[in-house]
């Protein structure tokens, strides 16, 4: 496989390995005339996955249309992602307003996170069978209704708790499916920057929320933090309805492509057995799941071929704009709903999925720990912050999220293309794991530094802990982008279920921390607590070494 990626011990196909770039050292292939390339640059790039010719394939849409879809989904994700940290700057205010202790008020967020995780199991099955569009519509409607409800509860704490639970259900489709939609809409070589954008939307919005909420609460009341979410989500609902068609697509297998994937074509053998076999010439060594297909973008690529593989059927007609507005456009799978709902459970024991859960989910959980410190420590002596000043403390992590997005966007595609060329045109999904090195530096420095400086804010003030908070969030974004890209590229056929596992793990883990974080900090102290969790994070990042097969240049 090259570059230190371990060879399989059996002849079983390794998912994700692909021949991407023409290399002069490789012998010409007779079948290349049938394959489709991006020839817009100086070096032809094989389109991965190989597309069909159906005009209804998402990748047959113009790139500007696909980018508009991603921008709309990312914008709605920004609004949806505000729901989890909506009360971060208001915890003490709400404790006094509802006459509840700190832990009970924190559980308004805890039960919300549980709802996000539980809803994920239902939505993954629904997405597999009927696609993603109806879930984006349903999620947006639930966000509108529950946010208006939350602002109108008055002094009824139980009603607010249930409004938070419904908000969690509305958030779930965006946390679980937007990254999977990036895989639906883009080729492998297009995903890096766009995956970074979708993760920035999910995380950047979350960290900018408390900055605004603190000021909103102080100026016009905490209820308006809910009302404003309902207003903005309501404004975005028409954009989803009119301009976000279904991205899931039941793509039929081309007989020629199927022959290549099965290794039955007459492709000449390579002298270097580390080159991929015929199964690698197509997007993945295992056939992609029909509910998560991609296809060929005719408008953006020069794909002139000498001949066309024989086809016994003509492509279906393009659906009309009116037809694209329907929330459902047919079943994507005939599988049993309940089996699909339970399918993510065993995937928690899948090495790649477990690794992704740890890389992404633990740093999100530690961010919750930092939020507890901000709410419980900075509001007291010696700083005596108000909810406004506590909210402003989230400016640092927002900047960190933007920095993480920029670094991830630059490194994700550049490092991958660099290693593909070093690997004679062969792409390995493990190339995406390189980003974890940046996560190790930024994330762990942030955790160690925040623990040291937050323990003595009288000496360090508010700026230094906030700076380390920014480092931690930058590392979190890098890990999220790395794990998401690896799952989409290496295990496309189980991507939706894998993202559900990530969704469930990070929300249940964060819920557990909201339940016990305050008491843990009181018992062990800030420095000792953050030494422990930072050391745990170092160990988790080091798990990427066996995952990557010791990639080396």
């Amino acid at each position: 496989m090259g570059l230190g990626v371990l060879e399989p011990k059996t002849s079983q196909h390794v998912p994700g390995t692909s021949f991407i770039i023409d290399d002069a050292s490789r012998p010409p292939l007779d079948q290349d005339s049938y394959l489709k390339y991006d020839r817009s640059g100086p070096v032809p790039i094989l389109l991965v996955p190989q597309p069909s010719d159906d005009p209804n394939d998402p990748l047959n849409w113009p790139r500007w249309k696909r980018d508009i879809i991603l921008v709309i989904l990312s914008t709605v994700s920004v609004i949806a992602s505000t729901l989890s940290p909506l009360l971060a700057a208001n915890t003490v205010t709400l404790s006094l307003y509802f006459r509840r202790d700190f832990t009970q008020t924190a559980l308004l967020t805890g039960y919300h996170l549980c709802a996000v995780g539980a809803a994920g199991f239902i939505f993954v099955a629904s997405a597999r069978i009927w696609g993603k569009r109806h879930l984006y519509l349903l999620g947006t409607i639930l966000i509108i209704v529950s946010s208006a409800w939350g602002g109108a509860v008055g002094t009824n704490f139980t009603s607010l708790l249930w409004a938070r639970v419904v908000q969690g259900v509305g958030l779930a489709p965006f946390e679980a499916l937007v990254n999977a939609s990036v895989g639906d809409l883009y080729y492998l070589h297009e995903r890096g920057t766009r995956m970074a954008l979708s993760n920035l939307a999910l995380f950047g919005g979350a960290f900018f929320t408390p900055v605004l909420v603190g000021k909103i609460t102080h100026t016009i009341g905490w209820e308006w933090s809910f009302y404003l979410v309902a207003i903005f989500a309501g404004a975005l609902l028409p954009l989803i309805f009119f301009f976000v068609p279904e991205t899931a697509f039941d793509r039929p297998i081309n007989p020629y492509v199927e022959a290549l994937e099965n290794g039955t074509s007459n492709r000449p053998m390579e002298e270097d057995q580390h080159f991929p076999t015929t199964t690698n010439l197509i997007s993945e060594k295992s056939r992609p799941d029909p509910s998560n297909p991609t296809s060929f973008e005719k408008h953006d690529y020069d794909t002139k071929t000498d001949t066309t593989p024989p086809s016994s059927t003509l492509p279906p007609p393009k659906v009309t704009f009116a037809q694209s507005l329907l929330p459902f456009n047919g079943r994507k799978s005939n599988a049993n709903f309940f089996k699909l709902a339970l399918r993510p459970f065993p995937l928690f024991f899948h090495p790649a999925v477990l690794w992704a859960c740890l890389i992404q989910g633990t740093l999100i959980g530690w961010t919750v720990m930092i939020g507890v410190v901000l709410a419980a420590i900075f509001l007291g002596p010696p700083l005596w912050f108000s909810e406004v000043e506590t909210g402003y403390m989230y400016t640092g992590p927002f900047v960190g999220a933007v920095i993480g997005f920029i670094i991830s966007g630059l490194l994700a595609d550049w490092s991958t293309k660099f290693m593909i060329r070093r690997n004679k045109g062969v792409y390995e999904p493990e190339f995406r794991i390189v980003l974890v090195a940046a996560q190790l530096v930024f994330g762990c420095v942030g955790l160690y530094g925040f623990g040291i400086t937050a323990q003595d804010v009288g000496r360090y003030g508010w700026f230094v802990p906030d700076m380390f908070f920014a480092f931690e969030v930058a590392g979190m974004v890098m890990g999220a982008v790395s794990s998401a890209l690896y799952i989409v590229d290496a295990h496309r056929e189980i991507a939706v279920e894998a993202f559900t596992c990530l969704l469930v793990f990070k929300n249940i883990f964060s819920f557990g921390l909201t339940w016990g974080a305050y008491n843990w900090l009181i018992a062990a102290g800030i420095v000792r607590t953050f030494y422990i969790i930072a050391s745990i994070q170092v160990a988790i990042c080091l798990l990427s070494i066996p995952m990557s097969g010791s990639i080396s240049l």
Side-chain angles (χ1 to χ4, degrees), residues 433-448:
I433 300 178
V434 171
L435 269 177
V436 177
Q439 181 195 39
L440 174 64
V441 174
F442 281 83
C444 296
V445 165
L447 288 171
Y448 281 118

Side-chain angles (χ1 to χ4, degrees), residues 72 75-83 136-148 167 170-171 174 225-241:
I72 293 173
T75 304
V76 181
S77 296
V78 169
I79 301 301
S81 66
T82 64
L83 299 176
Y136 292 139
L137 291 169
L138 175 62
T140 306
I141 292 171
L142 288 178
I143 289 172
I144 296 169
V145 172
S146 59
S147 297
Q167 282 185 324
L171 168 61
F174 297 97
S225 61
F226 285 84
Y227 290 144
L228 289 172
V229 171
I231 291 170
F232 285 113
L236 290 170
L237 179 60
L239 296 181
I240 292 183
F241 181 77

Side-chain angles (χ1 to χ4, degrees), residues 6-20:
L6 299 180
E7 294 287 342
K9 295 182 179 179
T10 67
S11 59
Q12 184 178 1
H13 294 161
V14 180
T17 300
S18 306
F19 172 57
I20 300 292

Side-chain angles (χ1 to χ4, degrees), residues 28-371:
L29 304 179
D30 294 338
Q31 290 88 352
D32 273 0
S33 59
Y34 295 138
L35 301 179
K36 298 172 182 177
Y37 289 77
D38 173 4
R39 302 185 188 276
S40 59
V43 179
I45 299 176
L46 183 67
L47 296 180
V48 176
Q50 279 286 287
S52 73
D53 295 321
D54 192 325
N56 300 307
D57 282 2
L59 289 179
N60 277 334
W61 303 334
R63 188 184 295 167
W64 61 263
K65 179 178 179 178
R66 293 181 287 147
D67 286 341
I68 287 176
I69 293 170
L70 178 60
V71 168
I72 293 173
L73 289 177
S74 297
T75 304
V76 181
S77 296
V78 169
I79 301 301
S81 66
T82 64
L83 299 176
S84 294
L86 194 62
L87 308 181
N90 293 343
T91 304
V92 173
T93 300
L94 293 176
S95 294
L96 296 174
Y97 182 84
F98 288 104
R99 298 182 181 179
R100 302 284 175 144
D101 62 38
F102 187 86
T103 299
Q104 286 178 306
T105 307
L107 286 177
L108 288 171
T109 299
Y111 287 117
H112 162 87
L113 296 175
C114 278
V116 178
F121 289 105
I122 305 299
F123 290 157
V124 65
S126 186
R128 278 295 190 192
I129 295 176
W130 294 293
K132 303 178 181 70
R133 173 174 164 80
H134 71 285
L135 295 174
Y136 292 139
L137 291 169
L138 175 62
T140 306
I141 292 171
L142 288 178
I143 289 172
I144 296 169
V145 172
S146 59
S147 297
W149 172 11
V153 298
T155 58
N156 190 331
F157 184 83
T158 302
S159 182
L160 179 60
L161 178 62
W162 280 107
R164 292 288 287 160
V165 169
V166 177
Q167 282 185 324
V169 177
L171 168 61
F174 297 97
E175 282 208 5
L177 300 176
V178 171
N179 283 338
S181 289
V182 174
D184 291 341
L185 291 167
Y186 297 100
Y187 293 108
L188 185 151
H189 69 283
E190 299 175 320
R191 292 174 186 161
T193 302
R194 291 170 175 88
M195 189 71 79
L197 174 63
S198 65
N199 278 278
L200 174 67
L202 288 169
F203 296 122
F207 290 113
F208 195 63
T209 300
V211 178
L212 300 176
V213 168
K215 185 64 175 178
I216 291 170
T217 299
H218 183 76
T219 306
I220 56 178
W222 65 267
E223 297 89 349
W224 274 94
S225 61
F226 285 84
Y227 290 144
L228 289 172
V229 171
I231 291 170
F232 285 113
L236 290 170
L237 179 60
L239 296 181
I240 292 183
F241 181 77
F242 288 107
F243 302 113
V244 180
E246 181 58 65
T247 61
F249 180 75
D250 187 7
R251 179 162 60 96
I253 297 296
N254 185 298
Y256 172 75
V257 173
E258 186 174 23
L260 283 177
E261 290 183 342
N262 293 333
T264 58
S265 64
N266 59 352
R267 177 185 180 275
M269 293 295 294
E270 307 283 348
E271 292 182 3
D272 183 355
Q273 294 302 315
H274 290 284
F275 286 145
T277 61
T278 51
T279 58
N280 304 75
L281 290 174
I282 309 305
S283 62
E284 294 153 290
K285 289 182 178 177
S286 60
R287 185 186 308 177
D289 188 277
S291 64
N292 286 283
T294 49
S295 63
F296 168 54
E297 161 81 73
K298 293 181 179 178
H299 303 276
D300 295 327
Y301 298 115
D302 173 16
T303 58
K304 296 178 181 178
T305 57
D306 298 333
T307 57
T308 302
S311 177
S312 58
T313 60
L314 294 175
K318 185 177 181 179
V319 299
T320 65
F321 178 72
Q323 289 173 324
S324 72
L325 298 180
L326 296 174
F328 302 93
N329 64 356
R331 291 179 68 97
K332 311 300 178 184
S333 171
N334 293 320
N336 181 275
F337 179 89
F338 296 102
K339 288 183 178 179
L340 288 175
L342 297 175
R343 189 180 178 188
F345 282 104
L347 288 181
F348 281 109
F349 300 97
H350 190 293
V353 175
L354 178 60
W355 169 83
C357 287
L358 293 173
I359 286 293
Q360 182 177 131
T362 52
L363 262 181
I364 293 174
W366 308 142
T367 304
V368 172
M369 290 283 293
I370 295 178

